[in-house]
Amino acid sequence: MTRFCTRFAPSPTGFLHFGHVVSACHARDLAGDAGKFLIRIEDIDPQRCLPRFETALLEDLDWLGVKSDAPIVRQSAELPFYHSILDRLRNENLVYPCTCSRTQVQAHAKGTAPDGSAVYGGSCRGKSFEPDRPHVWRLDMAEALKRLGGGPSWREFSGRTIVNRAAEFGDVVLGRRDNGVSYHLCVTCDDARQGVTHVTRGADLFEATSVHRVLQELLGFPQPLYSHHALALDASGQKLSKRDGAESLRALRENGHTAAGLMARAREVLQSRMIIPADRCADR
Ligand code: GLU
């Protein structure tokens, strides 16, 4: 039987809050005593990821009693690996360079993707490459889906098979301007390379899975099971977020909360499953 391998993959862009406790707890509990649980630092964004937040998140997880069963991987130390994967996609004519600015992308967007991002209008597709101009690398989604014969579904741990919506994302960025790689690329590569069998994460990343499944199939990576969990909400019913100033784990600790108490509260949140819309279930 395959040993469960799960991961918690925070980005050091701020202090951890209770929403992270829920995600970490979910991954740790699903791995159980017999499985393997990994912590991975997703720090590819050089503008937003700061060493002091990484130090803080490691301290916080330690306090919480959540420990990685293998040495912690930092994505910033793995850039050559991601670049080699991007090279593969480039050699297979599955990505193309795009010199559009953020403003141009917004102005010519073909609508909004399932994750809320702007769908690229495609003006750089088929243009000749000018390596000296700043550029990103975009996946040619139509070509990718043609080669795969459609968007690959995925399985949730709950047993549901989920319909893929990658076509609605359009040509997502796989190689950013600043470091040459992107979230979609790195997360897919790492989950495969680290042998993650169960990808656990919040419902807010549910839609991104469509893109990750496409990359997995293009690259011949194994298909993990997914377990998207319900999110911890604030008093007004909004998802807790660093950006909106959710109370940090360190503040909760200073205010007298215990690690055991927070883990117990996290398990209460995890009792309720993420509600998957009926039209996303292939097996309804
Ligand atoms: N690094 C992502 C975040 O902090 C999580 C990525 C994932 O779990 O797939 O939101």
Side-chain angles (χ1 to χ4, degrees):
M1 208 180 95
T2 315
R3 205 173 155 220
F4 272 38
C5 179
T6 65
R7 52 42 166 205
F8 173 56
S11 299
T13 54
F15 293 119
L16 295 188
H17 52 65
F18 181 64
H20 296 105
V21 180
V22 175
S23 286
C25 176
H26 184 46
R28 177 63 276 180
D29 284 0
L30 196 63
D33 290 337
K36 196 168 166 191
F37 164 77
L38 309 174
I39 294 174
R40 179 169 78 222
I41 310 281
E42 302 210 325
D43 60 347
I44 53 160
D45 185 333
Q47 251 78 55
R48 294 177 59 226
C49 296
L50 302 180
R52 71 187 175 97
F53 290 133
E54 182 184 314
T55 308
L57 82 80
L58 292 173
E59 267 172 31
D60 288 347
L61 291 174
D62 211 40
W63 173 77
L64 208 54
V66 172
K67 296 192 194 332
S68 183
D69 292 329
I72 292 176
V73 166
R74 270 173 201 76
Q75 288 187 329
S76 57
E78 308 292 327
L79 294 178
F81 166 58
Y82 310 129
H83 282 288
S84 73
I85 301 287
L86 197 56
D87 282 345
R88 265 178 68 187
L89 295 170
R90 208 176 285 129
N91 291 337
E92 291 175 33
N93 291 321
L94 282 162
V95 290
Y96 65 89
C98 164
T99 54
C100 294
S101 66
R102 213 173 275 245
T103 321
Q104 285 169 322
V105 171
Q106 291 292 344
H108 303 287
K110 275 198 311 195
T112 307
D115 67 350
S117 60
V119 177
Y120 181 57
S123 48
C124 283
R125 200 184 298 125
K127 271 199 190 157
S128 55
F129 184 27
E130 297 170 76
D132 294 337
R133 285 186 66 191
H135 56 277
V136 300
W137 288 91
R138 290 186 180 274
L139 178 66
D140 185 339
M141 187 62 88
E143 178 61 23
L145 293 174
K146 196 166 108 197
R147 291 193 201 178
L148 298 178
S153 61
W154 76 87
R155 292 287 304 273
E156 284 284 325
F157 190 60
S158 59
R160 308 313 304 249
T161 299
I162 311 297
V163 177
N164 190 295
R165 291 178 72 185
E168 295 168 57
F169 277 81
D171 298 346
V172 292
V173 173
L174 297 186
R176 290 159 45 127
R177 248 182 212 101
D178 49 6
N179 55 13
V181 294
S182 78
Y183 161 68
H184 292 311
L185 181 73
C186 300
V187 80
T188 308
C189 289
D190 285 338
D191 285 338
R193 184 157 76 155
Q194 293 188 289
V196 173
T197 59
H198 294 69
V199 174
T200 59
R201 55 186 177 202
D204 51 337
L205 289 169
F206 179 80
E207 299 294 359
T209 304
S210 287
V211 177
H212 304 169
R213 285 287 300 121
V214 167
L215 292 176
Q216 284 159 3
E217 294 294 318
L218 290 175
L219 294 162
F221 291 162
Q223 176 184 174
L225 267 180
Y226 285 86
S227 183
H228 293 94
H229 63 78
L231 300 175
L233 304 176
D234 66 15
S236 59
Q238 297 301 306
K239 141 179 145 87
L240 298 177
S241 80
K242 291 174 199 163
R243 229 171 263 203
D244 297 334
E247 193 176 16
S248 69
L249 197 47
R250 26 200 58 211
L252 291 168
R253 178 163 91 195
E254 276 155 26
N255 290 335
H257 289 268
T258 62
L262 289 173
M263 290 293 267
R265 258 181 63 202
R267 290 189 181 104
E268 274 168 34
V269 173
L270 291 166
Q271 294 285 316
S272 53
R273 288 239 171 99
M274 177 201 163
I275 299 163
I276 300 172
D279 64 351
R280 299 304 305 287
C281 297
D283 46 2
R284 85 192 125 120

